Amino acid sequence: MTVVDIALARQAIRERARWRSLEIAFWVAAACSYFVFPTHLVLLTQIIISGLFAMSLDLLLGYGGIPSFGHAAFFGLGAYAAGLLAAHGWGEPLSGLLVGGAVAGATGLLFSIVIARVHGAAMLMVTMCVGLLVYEAASRMPWLTGGDTGLQGIDMWPVLGRFEFDLFGKTAFWYAYAIAFALYLAARLYVGSPEGLALEGMRENPVRIASLAISSAKRKMIAFTLSATVAGLAGALLAQTTQIVALETLSFDRSVSTLIMLVVGGLGSLIGGFLGAALFVWLRDILSALNPVYWMFWLGLILIGMMLSARGGLVGAVAILSRRIRAMTGTAT
Amino acid sequence: MLGFVNILVAGIAYGFVLFLMAGGLSITLGLMNFANMAHAAFAMVGGYAAALLIAKVGVPFIPAVIAAAVIAALVGASFERVLFHRFYRAPELEQVLMTIGVVYVAIAAATYLVGPEQIAISVPAWLEGNIRLGVVEINSYRAFLILVGLALLAGVVGLIEHTTFGAKIRAAVANRRMTASCGVDVDRLYAAAFALGSALAGLGGALSVKLVGLDPYFPIKFLTDLLIVVSVGGLGSLGGTFLAAVLFGAVDVVGKYLLPEAGGFILYATALIVLTVRPQGLAGRRQ
């Protein structure tokens, strides 16, 4: 009996770790986009970085059910840490990236002690306060952060000592792509590990998880720290590829738009954040060019419409579509 | 010392501005448990209604403010009937995102209809100038706001705590099905409560334009501060909201006066500490 159960469990875990076609499609399409839209590399790099940031929020919200209304705090901290390092004479990209992630992760660990204590609506408010707090701190220290004009004078050395950052953003694109893909693989490992399963179990049934002698507070702290680290890495990527850090990276607005990207893409799938970011950043680029007010209007309408109708975002819509197609062609197994 | 007292009075008056706007949110978010991010958008409706009625139609100040509250209530009630009532039982995150969608549409609509620039409101002569209370000199308009705020606090607390209407709302929030089976039309009740919350938003919006200005980004600018006031005060407690708003105003203005380089930092740090130590807020009823 137990043997069968373990075999079943192993199969379930393997099934969860299976690569779905949507994931493969996204990463292949992202790589191809380099050749299809060679004049839009800056925008494509922005999509990858925003997607990575949305994925960091997915670890927290999609898997842990922990909403954050101030996640830009960690994105911006990573960006400023990496930016300051490069502006003060150390422009090596990979070590700068690690510093960005470490600073955001350490701050995330600190705040996770508070976060683990609260739940429900208070969670939104506490994370929002964290975000506003970090924003205020950065805007009140212009001697360090450059204040409203942003942090300038970031001078990056070549990646791995060989690939110079160029004007067209070719190196920046592949650098961001490689880092984001590596972190995507790492996030997949975390989500499929016992730690990740416990996190999801906590979201589904906290009482039962407690009765299995698993500490919810500890799971939350680990998830929050990891998520903050990935957010910091994404911020550091932005600082290094654009070579400027604006206060906007810390803003409430960025926290909210990332939340929107994630929900539009689909919660709890890791790839959803990237898909949502692609749609969001692309639409924003087109509509804001016409008139910023158009963008606000359509974004609002899309949000209301999405909340009224489909649950599950783009990932959910694709799943429903593929089920229908399979049912029609009769190949459902 | 006298300077400090005057600063403190200005801070408290700013707290009353916040209370006038947050009072309605205390009903929709606090009492009805609806994560209403669009509250400041209804306040903006009130602000524009009052300012335009005075400037374009020539309506006197007080009737214009009352009209603003009525218009905001009608707009709020229509949104509630058409859209929001579908989300009462939805997860919090969906309520948040849907109402943020409403905020974006409201900003776009205001920019399109009224224009992106700041607009001002003209107040009657008897509200200009200062009045002296002993050694403290206070701006008449601020004194007027404090009086309206106190009257509102007494009125709404009385309505929620001491009337059948208030008892029904509290009952419906505690147990919707039980209340419905007692013969209360919960849908209509919620619509009425939402209209009340929006009317207060409109009133607060109209009265605050003079001190904080008005432009299409108003709904986002005040969103975070109003949410902090209501959650620090404690969900479901109007008295708590009042206390938090006055504290917020005082800490904000006095903090910026004593430590200008710290800006809003002290404020958000205080809010974070309060929410960590008491997640249910200063006067919260439930965990």
Side-chain angles (χ1 to χ4, degrees):
Chain A
M1 187 64 195
T2 41
V3 179
V4 176
D5 281 351
I6 287 174
L8 264 177
R10 286 207 175 114
Q11 201 198 337
I13 288 175
R14 260 202 306 277
E15 178 59 26
R16 281 170 59 94
R18 196 170 56 84
W19 276 82
R20 282 154 300 157
S21 38
L22 199 58
E23 299 175 82
I24 301 168
F26 174 81
W27 288 106
V28 171
C32 292
S33 68
Y34 174 84
F35 303 101
V36 182
F37 305 106
T39 52
H40 289 77
L41 291 183
V42 175
L43 189 72
L44 293 172
T45 310
Q46 247 189 51
I47 289 178
I48 291 174
I49 293 172
S50 303
L52 182 62
F53 181 29
M55 184 194 83
S56 80
L57 189 59
D58 198 15
L59 290 175
L60 202 61
L61 178 58
Y63 289 88
I66 307 163
S68 173
F69 228 18
H71 224 49
F74 305 106
F75 183 77
L77 273 173
Y80 274 107
L84 281 169
L85 195 68
H88 288 84
W90 179 257
E92 205 288 308
L94 287 175
S95 52
L97 199 65
L98 290 181
V99 168
V103 168
T107 318
L109 178 65
L110 193 72
F111 281 123
S112 74
I113 302 166
V114 177
I115 305 289
R117 283 176 47 95
V118 292
H119 30 79
M123 183 74 85
L124 276 177
M125 296 303 129
V126 168
T127 48
M128 187 179 85
C129 279
V130 169
L132 296 172
L133 196 65
V134 175
Y135 180 89
E136 275 296 319
S139 77
R140 298 293 155 183
M141 290 192 281
W143 48 273
L144 183 69
T145 61
D148 289 330
T149 44
L151 179 66
Q152 286 165 345
I154 298 175
D155 184 30
M156 296 312 298
W157 301 348
V159 180
L160 299 171
R162 287 191 54 195
F163 305 101
E164 197 77 61
F165 281 98
D166 54 294
L167 271 178
F168 309 100
K170 290 180 184 168
T171 309
F173 175 86
W174 288 117
Y175 177 55
Y177 184 90
I179 300 292
F181 188 63
L183 286 170
Y184 184 74
L185 294 180
R188 280 186 116 254
L189 282 181
Y190 166 68
V191 165
S193 72
E195 181 65 42
L197 292 173
L199 182 70
E200 235 178 302
M202 188 195 77
R203 180 195 69 197
E204 292 301 318
N205 194 337
V207 179
R208 199 150 168 196
I209 281 292
S211 68
L212 288 169
I214 296 172
S215 158
S216 282
K218 217 168 169 182
R219 301 286 86 70
K220 276 188 196 171
M221 284 175 67
I222 291 174
F224 198 82
T225 309
L226 284 178
S227 168
T229 309
V230 177
L233 290 167
L237 266 183
L238 184 73
Q240 296 182 334
T241 53
T242 57
Q243 314 209 339
I244 185 168
V245 186
L247 274 178
E248 184 273 328
T249 52
L250 287 165
S251 64
F252 181 62
D253 211 42
R254 189 176 273 267
S255 295
V256 173
S257 40
T258 303
L259 192 60
I260 294 173
M261 288 178 208
L262 177 60
V263 172
V264 167
L267 281 170
S269 61
L270 293 184
I271 201 68
F274 286 95
L275 296 174
L279 185 70
F280 186 98
V281 175
W282 175 67
L283 267 182
R284 182 175 62 190
D285 189 60
I286 294 177
L287 291 173
S288 306
L290 295 175
N291 185 343
V293 171
Y294 280 167
W295 161 238
M296 284 249 165
F297 183 74
W298 287 109
L299 176 64
L301 276 194
I302 290 170
L303 262 184
I304 297 171
M306 269 199 59
M307 293 302 119
L308 276 174
S309 59
R311 310 275 151 87
L314 291 174
V315 171
V318 170
I320 291 168
L321 204 68
S322 74
R323 261 205 304 279
R324 288 223 179 120
I325 292 171
R326 254 184 248 164
M328 259 161 40
T329 53
T331 54
T333 46
Chain B
M1 189 59 210
L2 198 58
F4 181 76
V5 172
N6 278 326
I7 298 284
L8 188 64
V9 170
I12 291 172
Y14 179 57
F16 272 84
V17 171
L18 284 175
F19 171 67
L20 286 171
M21 283 195 277
L25 187 61
S26 179
I27 292 176
T28 50
L29 170 68
L31 203 58
M32 294 166 64
N33 246 332
F34 177 67
N36 181 14
M37 303 291 125
H39 185 75
F42 297 119
M44 176 176 75
V45 169
Y48 274 126
L52 293 178
L53 278 176
I54 292 170
K56 307 265 172 193
V57 190
V59 179
F61 184 72
I62 299 288
V65 168
I66 294 170
V70 173
I71 292 169
L74 290 177
V75 174
S78 353
F79 267 94
E80 197 273 348
R81 279 295 84 198
V82 176
L83 196 58
F84 295 172
H85 79 100
R86 298 168 204 271
F87 286 86
Y88 284 143
R89 270 167 279 185
E92 205 159 61
L93 189 68
E94 284 177 21
Q95 299 178 345
V96 165
L97 289 168
M98 186 272 298
T99 47
I100 284 182
V102 172
V103 168
Y104 285 143
V105 172
I107 292 173
T111 314
Y112 181 73
L113 295 173
V114 191
E117 52 286 320
Q118 277 271 345
I119 64 165
I121 196 166
S122 40
V123 300
W126 55 273
L127 284 174
E128 302 275 10
N130 295 331
I131 47 170
R132 287 190 76 86
L133 293 171
V135 287
V136 185
E137 195 162 314
I138 180 167
N139 178 282
S140 317
Y141 192 75
R142 292 204 164 100
F144 170 70
L145 282 186
I146 291 177
L147 287 180
V148 175
L150 288 175
L152 202 74
L153 176 68
V156 181
V157 166
L159 186 68
I160 301 290
E161 301 289 338
H162 302 293
T163 63
T164 327
F165 173 72
K168 280 182 191 165
I169 291 180
R170 282 178 287 133
V173 170
N175 192 333
R176 195 188 163 100
R177 288 176 67 181
M178 192 66 210
T179 312
S181 59
C182 290
V184 176
D185 186 345
V186 177
D187 279 345
R188 260 179 71 184
L189 187 71
Y190 266 50
F194 201 92
L196 175 66
S198 306
L200 293 180
L203 183 73
L207 290 173
S208 63
V209 176
K210 166 87 175 148
L211 293 184
V212 297
L214 182 63
D215 65 54
Y217 285 88
F218 188 90
I220 288 218
K221 260 190 250 167
F222 282 90
L223 171 61
T224 51
D225 285 1
L226 294 184
L227 286 175
I228 289 175
V229 164
V230 172
S231 49
V232 165
L235 295 184
S237 160
L238 201 72
T241 302
F242 174 73
L243 188 67
V246 174
L247 267 179
F248 190 110
V251 169
D252 194 26
V253 174
V254 174
K256 276 175 184 160
Y257 171 70
L258 293 179
L259 282 171
E261 63 276 15
F265 189 82
I266 304 172
L267 193 68
Y268 299 131
T270 316
L272 188 61
I273 291 167
V274 171
L275 285 176
T276 312
V277 179
R278 279 183 71 88
Q280 75 275 34
L282 292 173
R285 286 181 191 173
R286 60 201 154 73
Q287 185 63 38

